Amino acid sequence: QVQLVESGGGSVQTGGSLTLSCAASEYTYKTYCMGWFRQAPGKEREGVAACDRGGGTTYGDSVRGRFTISQDNARNTVTLRMNSLKPEDSAMYYCATGRAVASGGFCYGEGLQGQGTQVAVSS
């Protein structure tokens, strides 16, 4: 059973930065793409960013230019660097994997999901 271990998150003021990381216990076809989506209370799930082992990346419109995602294939780890954070970025962030990148910051296809890590941005 492949496990996802998320780290990072926390609280920061507007304009600050945070880094999220997600490590898969092993590589499988389900982790070819790794990324993050977020969900705030009362809101729909929103794609943040995803990348695949071939270097393909995708970002959600609301984070493009502020967030950067990268994948370390050797460590089966994906890292999301979040800069210029805004209060509207506050949400539970979930690591998610899949077969390939899709538009809007998602992975698609059979994959895994982490437990989530909270990000809170205060004004």
Side-chain angles (χ1 to χ4, degrees), residues 22-70:
C22 175
S25 57
E26 62 184 280
Y27 170 72
T28 78
Y29 67 92
K30 297 180 182 180
T31 61
Y32 183 80
C33 176
M34 297 182 70
W36 298 86
F37 69 88
R38 66 189 183 187
Q39 190 162 24
K43 295 188 177 181
E44 293 188 355
R45 180 177 295 191
E46 179 184 13
V48 177
C51 62
D52 65 31
R53 295 174 73 92
T57 58
T58 176
Y59 291 92
D61 289 341
S62 64
V63 307
R64 190 175 291 110
R66 300 186 296 123
F67 293 9
T68 303
I69 192 166
S70 60

Side-chain angles (χ1 to χ4, degrees), residues 72-112:
D72 184 335
N73 294 342
R75 292 181 170 83
N76 300 316
T77 299
V78 64
T79 299
L80 181 69
R81 177 65 176 176
M82 305 184 292
N83 294 326
S84 302
L85 283 162
K86 306 174 182 180
E88 50 264 44
D89 293 317
S90 298
M92 186 69 80
Y93 283 68
Y94 296 89
C95 179
T97 74
R99 300 291 297 273
V101 296
S103 61
F106 287 104
C107 295
Y108 79 86
E110 185 182 5
L112 308 167

